[in-house]
Coordinates of all heavy atoms in Angstrom, one line a residue:
R237 N 0.8 -1.2 0.0 CA 0.0 0.0 0.0 C 0.9 1.2 0.0 O 2.0 1.2 0.5 CB -0.9 0.0 1.2 CG -2.1 -0.9 1.1 CD -3.1 -0.6 2.2 NE -2.5 -0.7 3.6 CZ -2.8 0.1 4.5 NH1 -3.6 1.2 4.3 NH2 -2.2 0.0 5.7
V238 N 0.3 2.3 -0.6 CA 1.1 3.6 -0.7 C 0.2 4.7 -0.1 O -1.0 4.8 -0.3 CB 1.3 3.9 -2.2 CG1 1.9 5.3 -2.3 CG2 2.3 2.9 -2.8
G239 N 0.9 5.6 0.7 CA 0.3 6.8 1.2 C 0.9 8.0 0.5 O 2.1 8.1 0.6
M240 N 0.1 8.8 -0.1 CA 0.6 10.0 -0.8 C 0.6 11.2 0.0 O -0.5 11.6 0.5 CB -0.2 10.2 -2.1 CG 0.0 9.1 -3.2 SD -1.0 9.5 -4.7 CE -0.3 8.2 -5.8
L241 N 1.8 11.7 0.3 CA 1.9 12.9 1.2 C 2.1 14.2 0.3 O 2.9 14.1 -0.6 CB 3.0 12.8 2.2 CG 2.7 12.0 3.5 CD1 4.0 11.9 4.3 CD2 1.7 12.7 4.3
A242 N 1.4 15.2 0.7 CA 1.7 16.5 0.0 C 1.4 17.6 1.0 O 0.3 17.7 1.6 CB 0.8 16.7 -1.2
E243 N 2.4 18.5 1.2 CA 2.2 19.6 2.2 C 1.7 19.2 3.5 O 0.8 19.8 4.1 CB 1.4 20.7 1.5 CG 2.0 21.2 0.2 CD 1.1 22.3 -0.4 OE1 -0.1 22.4 0.0 OE2 1.6 23.0 -1.3
G244 N 2.2 18.0 4.0 CA 1.9 17.6 5.3 C 0.5 16.8 5.4 O 0.1 16.5 6.6
R245 N -0.1 16.6 4.3 CA -1.4 15.9 4.4 C -1.4 14.6 3.6 O -0.7 14.5 2.6 CB -2.5 16.8 3.8 CG -2.8 18.1 4.6 CD -3.9 18.9 3.9 NE -3.5 19.4 2.6 CZ -4.0 19.0 1.5 NH1 -4.9 18.1 1.4 NH2 -3.5 19.6 0.3
L246 N -2.1 13.6 4.1 CA -2.2 12.4 3.4 C -3.3 12.5 2.4 O -4.5 12.5 2.8 CB -2.5 11.2 4.3 CG -2.4 9.8 3.8 CD1 -0.9 9.5 3.4 CD2 -2.9 8.8 4.7
V247 N -3.0 12.7 1.1 CA -4.0 13.1 0.1 C -4.7 11.9 -0.6 O -5.7 12.0 -1.2 CB -3.5 14.0 -0.9 CG1 -3.1 15.4 -0.3 CG2 -2.2 13.4 -1.6
A248 N -4.0 10.7 -0.5 CA -4.6 9.5 -1.1 C -3.9 8.3 -0.5 O -2.7 8.4 -0.1 CB -4.4 9.5 -2.6
E249 N -4.5 7.2 -0.5 CA -3.9 5.9 0.0 C -4.6 4.7 -0.6 O -5.8 4.7 -0.9 CB -4.2 5.9 1.6 CG -3.5 4.7 2.3 CD -3.8 4.7 3.7 OE1 -5.0 4.8 4.1 OE2 -2.9 4.6 4.6
G250 N -3.8 3.7 -0.9 CA -4.3 2.5 -1.5 C -3.2 1.7 -2.1 O -2.0 2.0 -2.0
T251 N -3.6 0.6 -2.7 CA -2.5 -0.2 -3.4 C -2.1 0.6 -4.6 O -2.8 1.4 -5.1 CB -3.1 -1.5 -3.9 OG1 -4.1 -1.3 -4.9 CG2 -3.8 -2.3 -2.8
P252 N -0.8 0.3 -5.1 CA -0.4 1.1 -6.2 C -1.3 0.9 -7.4 O -1.6 1.9 -8.2 CB 1.0 0.4 -6.5 CG 1.5 -0.1 -5.2 CD 0.2 -0.5 -4.5
E253 N -1.8 -0.3 -7.6 CA -2.7 -0.6 -8.8 C -4.0 0.2 -8.7 O -4.4 0.8 -9.6 CB -3.0 -2.1 -8.9 CG -1.8 -3.0 -9.1 CD -1.0 -3.2 -7.9 OE1 -1.5 -2.9 -6.7 OE2 0.1 -3.8 -8.0
A254 N -4.5 0.3 -7.5 CA -5.8 1.0 -7.3 C -5.6 2.5 -7.5 O -6.4 3.2 -8.1 CB -6.4 0.7 -5.9
L255 N -4.5 3.1 -7.0 CA -4.2 4.5 -7.1 C -4.0 4.9 -8.5 O -4.5 5.9 -9.0 CB -3.0 4.9 -6.3 CG -3.2 4.8 -4.8 CD1 -1.8 5.0 -4.1 CD2 -4.1 5.9 -4.3
V256 N -3.3 4.0 -9.3 CA -3.1 4.3 -10.7 C -4.4 4.2 -11.5 O -4.7 5.1 -12.3 CB -2.0 3.3 -11.3 CG1 -2.0 3.5 -12.8 CG2 -0.7 3.6 -10.7
A257 N -5.2 3.2 -11.2 CA -6.5 3.0 -11.9 C -7.4 4.2 -11.6 O -8.1 4.7 -12.5 CB -7.1 1.7 -11.5
E258 N -7.4 4.7 -10.4 CA -8.3 5.8 -10.0 C -7.9 7.2 -10.4 O -8.7 8.0 -10.9 CB -8.6 5.8 -8.5 CG -9.6 6.8 -8.0 CD -9.9 6.7 -6.6 OE1 -9.4 5.8 -5.9 OE2 -10.7 7.6 -6.1
H259 N -6.6 7.4 -10.4 CA -6.1 8.8 -10.6 C -5.1 8.9 -11.7 O -4.8 10.1 -12.1 CB -5.4 9.3 -9.3 CG -6.2 9.2 -8.1 ND1 -7.3 10.0 -7.8 CD2 -6.1 8.4 -7.0 CE1 -7.8 9.7 -6.7 NE2 -7.2 8.8 -6.1
G260 N -4.6 7.8 -12.3 CA -3.5 7.9 -13.2 C -3.9 8.5 -14.6 O -3.0 8.9 -15.3
G261 N -5.2 8.4 -14.9 CA -5.6 8.9 -16.2 C -5.4 7.9 -17.3 O -4.8 6.8 -17.1
P262 N -5.7 8.2 -18.5 CA -5.6 7.3 -19.7 C -4.2 7.2 -20.2 O -3.4 8.2 -20.0 CB -6.5 7.8 -20.7 CG -6.5 9.3 -20.5 CD -6.4 9.5 -19.0
P263 N -3.8 6.2 -20.9 CA -2.5 6.2 -21.6 C -2.5 7.3 -22.7 O -3.6 7.7 -23.2 CB -2.4 4.8 -22.3 CG -3.8 4.3 -22.4 CD -4.6 4.9 -21.2
R264 N -1.3 7.8 -23.0 CA -1.3 8.9 -23.9 C 0.0 8.9 -24.7 O 1.0 8.4 -24.3 CB -1.4 10.2 -23.2 CG -0.3 10.6 -22.2 CD -0.6 11.8 -21.4 NE 0.5 12.2 -20.6 CZ 0.9 11.8 -19.4 NH1 0.2 10.8 -18.9 NH2 1.9 12.3 -18.8
L265 N -0.1 9.5 -25.9 CA 1.1 9.8 -26.8 C 1.4 11.2 -26.7 O 0.5 12.1 -26.8 CB 0.8 9.4 -28.2 CG 1.8 9.6 -29.2 CD1 3.1 8.8 -29.0 CD2 1.3 9.4 -30.6
E266 N 2.7 11.6 -26.5 CA 3.1 12.9 -26.4 C 4.1 13.2 -27.5 O 5.0 12.4 -27.8 CB 3.8 13.2 -25.0 CG 2.9 13.0 -23.8 CD 3.6 13.2 -22.5 OE1 4.9 13.2 -22.5 OE2 3.0 13.3 -21.5
L267 N 3.9 14.3 -28.2 CA 4.8 14.7 -29.3 C 5.2 16.2 -29.1 O 4.4 17.0 -28.6 CB 4.1 14.5 -30.7 CG 3.6 13.2 -31.0 CD1 2.1 13.1 -30.8 CD2 3.9 12.9 -32.5
R268 N 6.4 16.5 -29.5 CA 6.9 17.8 -29.6 C 6.9 18.3 -31.0 O 7.6 17.7 -31.8 CB 8.3 18.0 -28.9 CG 8.8 19.4 -29.0 CD 9.9 19.6 -28.0 NE 9.4 19.5 -26.6 CZ 10.3 19.3 -25.6 NH1 11.6 19.3 -25.8 NH2 9.8 19.2 -24.4
L269 N 6.1 19.3 -31.3 CA 6.0 19.7 -32.7 C 7.2 20.6 -33.1 O 7.8 21.3 -32.3 CB 4.7 20.6 -32.8 CG 3.4 19.9 -32.5 CD1 2.2 20.8 -32.7 CD2 3.2 18.6 -33.3
A270 N 7.5 20.5 -34.4 CA 8.6 21.3 -34.9 C 8.2 22.8 -34.8 O 7.0 23.2 -34.8 CB 8.9 21.0 -36.3
E271 N 9.2 23.7 -34.8 CA 9.0 25.1 -34.6 C 8.1 25.7 -35.7 O 7.3 26.6 -35.5 CB 10.3 25.9 -34.6 CG 11.2 25.6 -33.4 CD 10.5 26.2 -32.1 OE1 9.8 27.2 -32.3 OE2 10.8 25.7 -31.1
D272 N 8.2 25.1 -36.9 CA 7.4 25.7 -38.0 C 6.1 25.0 -38.2 O 5.4 25.2 -39.2 CB 8.2 25.7 -39.3 CG 8.7 24.2 -39.7 OD1 8.5 23.3 -38.9 OD2 9.2 24.0 -40.8
S273 N 5.7 24.1 -37.3 CA 4.4 23.4 -37.4 C 3.3 24.2 -36.7 O 3.5 24.8 -35.7 CB 4.5 22.0 -36.8 OG 5.4 21.2 -37.6
D274 N 2.1 24.2 -37.3 CA 1.0 24.9 -36.8 C 0.2 23.9 -35.8 O -0.4 22.9 -36.3 CB 0.1 25.4 -37.9 CG -1.1 26.2 -37.4 OD1 -1.3 26.3 -36.2 OD2 -1.8 26.8 -38.3

């Protein structure tokens, strides 16, 4: 189990799998566009 601390508060807790499933968001592709691309 994992406890997530931020600024002195426990903001989330659970198994790694459950935390990722609930808060991790969808898989994604990230690209950096060239300077001349719109």
Side-chain angles (χ1 to χ4, degrees):
R237 284 192 301 139
V238 172
M240 294 181 169
L241 277 175
E243 298 179 348
R245 295 180 295 109
L246 191 69
V247 294
E249 185 183 50
T251 66
E253 297 80 8
L255 289 170
V256 172
E258 183 175 357
H259 305 290
R264 65 189 188 275
L265 176 66
E266 298 174 348
L267 302 100
R268 179 163 295 167
L269 302 179
E271 290 294 331
D272 58 352
S273 292
D274 184 350

